[in-house]
Amino acid sequence: MIYLDNAATTAPDAGAVAAAMKYLQAEFYNPSALYRAGFSAHRAVEEARKNISALIAPQGGYELIFTASGSEADNQALFSSVRRGNFVTTEGEHAAVYNTAKELAKRGIEVRFAKLLADGRVDVADLLAKVDEKTSLVSVIHVNNETGAVNDVAEISARVKKASKAIFHSDGVQAFGKLPFTLGGGVDLYTISAHKIGGVRGVAALLRRKGCRLDPLVFGGGQENGLRSGTENTFAIKQFEFAAKKKFDRLHGDLEHVRALNRMAREALDERLFEIISSEEASPYILSVAAKGLRGEVLLHMLDDAGVMVGTGSACSSKNKYSRVIAACGWNERYAEGVLRLSFFASNTPEETERAVAVINECARKLAERMN
């Protein structure tokens, strides 16, 4: 099988798993326990917190709170920041932000959705037009998880800060460890996740600029400085640390490798059958295409049977007829129903990419012939 759905999840890095295994077996102790072994586990968690934070915020000024998922981190950012006034976000957000915004609207908060450009980036002019003195939070995804479109959250946050006193949050799950970026003062809250970069599922984090208000979403024993209760998963946290360090050590090399794979796929896809949605400036880790007049879900199952695994957009919206994000980009139903998302990782090779695209072309031709 050829796996090209890495935006949904990646295979855990074996070396990072092996390095963290002692925290699952020999050193399994509760980090909150008062005896020596428990304190040792606590120190291991604090070391991971420091090291992961340094990768994305090397100048300091941020606190990292471990969560169980990126969705939880996004929820905490939004529910603790939106108390009154209005909330401004984009039509291109991950479901963890978009559906939380819908819930906030049910609770009486005015939610304003900024429009998207054709490639999935936010229309910055439209976003800023929706920000006013009553805006409590602005949330803009860093890398769109369906098209790979990159929003310049450093510039956008700076412009938002000039227009209002709003808190600025960004879901950086598809950017962390993949694109060169460090946090600055304009971004107050930033979400990252382990399983998109070779970490295991079940651990993520929210970075908070020091001084920015943040309230707990999960209550209990007061772990994570009272901001996220629940016994810390030391194994998953340490494996996240080791996988993240490895990914950042080779970030630029991986980026060039994946960019070559993306270019190869773009050039090899049959243009009579496919329209490329992702722009040349998008993250090379994600390549979304539309099979003209074909059902993406049907094509996905044909590819699965032929040994190629791809997505049809966000794994979190796989039950929908077609993606709301693709529709917000202006693509009509004929194209939106035929979307496939190829997402790469450093472990993918040119040979399997070439083979995968050949299979994609072949399956699309067969499906097109069947429908004529």
Side-chain angles (χ1 to χ4, degrees):
M1 295 292 289
I2 299 173
Y3 183 68
L4 292 180
D5 197 22
N6 292 283
T9 196
T10 58
D13 182 271
V17 170
M21 190 59 70
K22 68 176 184 178
Y23 298 101
L24 188 64
Q25 297 175 329
E27 299 182 29
F28 60 86
Y29 308 101
N30 190 322
S32 297
L34 298 179
Y35 37 79
R36 187 178 296 112
F39 186 65
S40 177
H42 170 77
R43 283 203 311 266
V45 169
E46 292 308 304
E47 181 182 45
R49 189 189 317 280
K50 175 184 175 182
N51 290 339
I52 296 172
S53 182
L55 295 171
I56 187 71
Q59 303 304 317
Y62 286 85
E63 176 187 7
L64 185 146
I65 300 97
F66 287 113
T67 65
S69 67
S71 293
E72 181 190 327
D74 284 343
N75 272 250
Q76 184 173 10
L78 269 59
F79 281 123
S80 93
S81 300
V82 183
R83 299 282 181 172
R84 59 187 65 83
N86 62 72
F87 167 42
V88 179
T89 187
T90 84
E91 293 182 349
E93 297 301 303
H94 185 277
V97 169
Y98 187 85
N99 289 334
T100 303
K102 293 289 189 180
E103 177 60 27
L104 285 166
K106 290 179 183 177
R107 300 183 186 188
I109 298 294
E110 180 188 358
V111 179
R112 302 172 178 177
F113 290 100
K115 297 176 182 178
L116 301 184
L117 303 176
D119 64 354
R121 287 177 297 145
V122 64
D123 182 329
V124 177
D126 187 54
L127 178 90
L128 293 173
K130 289 177 164 59
V131 175
D132 58 30
E133 70 280 358
K134 293 184 179 180
T135 303
S136 55
L137 177 72
V138 176
S139 185
V140 176
I141 195 167
H142 194 170
V143 171
N144 186 283
N145 55 299
E146 297 192 38
T147 70
V150 181
N151 289 307
D152 187 345
V153 294
E155 180 185 350
I156 295 170
S157 63
R159 295 180 69 179
V160 166
K161 295 292 184 179
K162 287 182 179 179
S164 76
K165 296 180 180 179
I167 295 170
F168 190 93
H169 165 258
S170 180
D171 182 325
V173 166
Q174 296 291 350
F176 178 74
K178 297 180 178 180
L179 301 182
F181 175 77
T182 56
L183 286 171
V187 178
D188 300 298
L189 299 165
Y190 192 79
T191 299
I192 62 176
S193 183
H195 76 105
K196 309 297 188 181
I197 57 163
V200 294
R201 291 186 290 274
V203 63
L206 180 64
L207 286 111
R208 171 181 73 154
R209 180 182 54 77
K210 291 179 180 178
C212 177
R213 173 177 174 164
L214 187 68
D215 297 325
L217 185 67
V218 178
F219 294 85
Q223 290 86 351
E224 296 300 295
N225 291 322
L227 292 173
R228 202 282 179 185
S229 292
T231 303
E232 298 94 339
N233 185 340
T234 313
F235 162 74
I237 287 170
K238 295 302 286 185
Q239 198 272 344
F240 184 12
E241 174 194 359
F242 301 145
K245 184 179 186 306
K246 190 172 182 178
K247 196 72 178 70
F248 272 80
D249 283 346
R250 60 190 191 194
L251 187 150
H252 293 282
D254 284 357
L255 186 59
E256 289 308 309
H257 172 73
V258 169
R259 186 171 281 129
L261 300 182
N262 186 296
R263 189 181 307 113
M264 177 185 298
R266 286 174 181 268
E267 293 173 355
L269 282 165
D270 190 334
E271 62 184 15
R272 296 168 299 179
L273 298 166
F274 291 99
E275 188 81 26
I276 294 177
I277 294 173
S278 298
S279 75
E280 295 280 355
E281 291 73 36
S283 166
Y285 283 87
I286 295 174
L287 176 61
S288 282
V289 300
K292 303 173 184 179
L294 304 180
R295 287 285 305 279
E297 184 179 351
V298 175
L299 189 51
L300 178 147
H301 290 302
M302 290 177 67
L303 293 170
D304 194 17
D305 291 340
V308 176
M309 288 181 279
V310 299
T312 55
S314 170
C316 300
S317 62
S318 58
K319 293 181 175 64
N320 299 329
K321 186 177 181 182
Y322 56 84
S323 164
R324 60 172 170 80
V325 172
I326 299 301
C329 291
W331 295 86
N332 62 36
E333 185 172 333
R334 177 173 178 265
Y335 286 96
E337 283 191 336
V339 170
L340 293 180
R341 182 185 67 180
L342 287 65
S343 48
F344 306 95
F345 204 61
S347 54
N348 293 124
T349 66
E351 292 76 20
E352 65 182 3
T353 301
E354 182 180 20
R355 173 60 184 157
V357 175
V359 172
I360 291 169
N361 285 334
E362 180 183 1
C363 288
R365 279 194 289 268
K366 288 181 178 178
L367 183 57
E369 290 170 1
R370 190 187 307 168
M371 293 182 66
N372 291 334

